[in-house]
DNA sequence: GTTTATGCAAATTCTTTGCAATACT
DNA sequence: AGTATTGCAAAGAATTTGCATAAAC
């Protein structure tokens, strides 16, 4: 889903109002095609209040327009969710690649996570695979 | 590795001094057998300064006595590393299970991460699999 | 007109650094 | 004795809440 109009529909479907800030944030995610920290948004959009960007992410999280990416930095990071509703399966499993050189984190949509044999008694809800290494642009 | 004496040796081998704080932190990791936030340590050991606990974790990280666990919360979390040096392979690949009910995060040592076919050109350094669901104690 | 979103102020929590005092070897 | 560690002070960054104003529907 790369079309802004579709995201407007998505916002409306959740009764979220269409505002400049929300559209700008979505556009930026689409343009950058990578995981963003709130701080990235603050630097990109200094005219929006830090709290406004914070609450934009919170409301997007609530309706899974974005999702949080696990990372080791101690700072929350966010990725635009795959909103392809033509798929029947939920797309809650993600592989993310963190480049140790340039630092960017990208979702590898084409990389499926293999079935993992967990100990008996554990119920799986969601899988996140975090791969650290050198990305294709830096190698 | 569950013996405190072995951890004392480990500290000495890295020229880290044996202090009450460091031993208490290691003991607590061994006892809890789960991922801890710095805040967990602060609540458990209010008589140690917050900064002391912070630096304890930093120095443990430096020598890989602990490692950081990726998580979505935006707060750094730590796990005691597997210091089984009888293994030749580095044990940099981890599976962690986060229970959505009790919130605890545990390292599943017995769960190996399957080989993941990444796109051509990506160099893998480290793999972290984060599994969300319901743990065996809560189901 | 009603309701939601924003901006500002401010509190809270988390992370980090400097320095003098203390503890370890 | 010499060096590493700790505690205290304090700064910086990230997260969160309240409330009045402004914008969306």
């Amino acid at each position: 889903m790369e079309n802004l109009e579709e995201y407007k529909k998505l916002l409306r479907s959740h009764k979220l109002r269409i505002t400049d800030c929300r559209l700008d944030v979505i556009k930026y995610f689409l343009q950058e095609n990578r995981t963003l920290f709130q701080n990235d948004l603050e630097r990109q959009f200094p005219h929006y209040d830090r709290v406004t960007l914070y609450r934009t992410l919170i409301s997007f999280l609530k309706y899974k327009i974005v999702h949080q990416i696990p990372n080791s930095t101690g700072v929350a990071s966010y990725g635009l969710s795959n909103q392809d509703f033509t798929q029947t399966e939920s797309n809650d499993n993600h592989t993310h690649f963190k480049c140790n050189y340039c630092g960017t984190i990208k979702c590898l949509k084409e990389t499926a996570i293999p079935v993992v044999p967990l100990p008996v008694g554990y119920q799986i809800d969601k899988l996140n695979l975090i791969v650290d290494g050198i990305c294709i642009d830096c190698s």
Side-chain angles (χ1 to χ4, degrees), chain A residues 14-138:
Chain A
H14 293 302
K15 303 214 190 313
L16 292 177
R17 293 183 175 172
I18 314 271
T19 66
D20 288 350
C21 181
R22 286 174 176 162
L23 293 181
D24 281 343
V25 167
I26 289 171
K27 273 190 274 186
Y28 192 54
F29 268 109
L30 288 171
Q31 170 194 321
E32 291 293 307
N33 185 34
R34 62 182 172 95
T35 286
L36 297 174
F37 296 100
Q38 186 187 313
N39 186 258
D40 291 322
L41 299 177
E42 291 174 19
R43 278 188 287 112
Q44 180 69 12
F45 304 113
H47 51 293
Y48 294 127
D49 193 84
R50 188 191 290 121
V51 177
T52 300
L53 294 166
Y54 167 74
R55 285 196 259 233
T56 297
L57 290 169
I58 295 290
S59 61
F60 283 5
L61 259 188
K62 182 175 178 184
Y63 297 109
K64 300 192 178 179
I65 296 168
V66 300
H67 56 280
Q68 286 182 309
I69 317 289
N71 75 80
S72 297
T73 67
V75 180
S77 65
Y78 304 85
L80 195 61
S81 297
N82 183 6
Q83 295 288 344
D84 188 351
F85 296 117
T86 60
Q87 296 180 313
T88 49
E89 45 172 329
S90 81
N91 194 1
D92 265 352
N93 298 340
H94 292 272
T95 297
H96 287 95
F97 188 93
K98 179 183 175 200
C99 179
N100 292 330
Y101 191 77
C102 65
T104 61
I105 302 173
K106 288 194 179 185
C107 184
L108 297 182
K109 298 193 181 79
E110 63 278 21
T111 301
I113 302 176
V115 176
V116 182
L118 284 196
V120 178
Y122 284 83
Q123 295 173 42
I124 302 181
D125 174 32
K126 196 165 64 174
L127 295 174
N128 266 288
L129 181 64
I130 316 293
V131 185
D132 283 42
I134 309 293
C135 77
I136 193 164
D137 296 331
C138 291

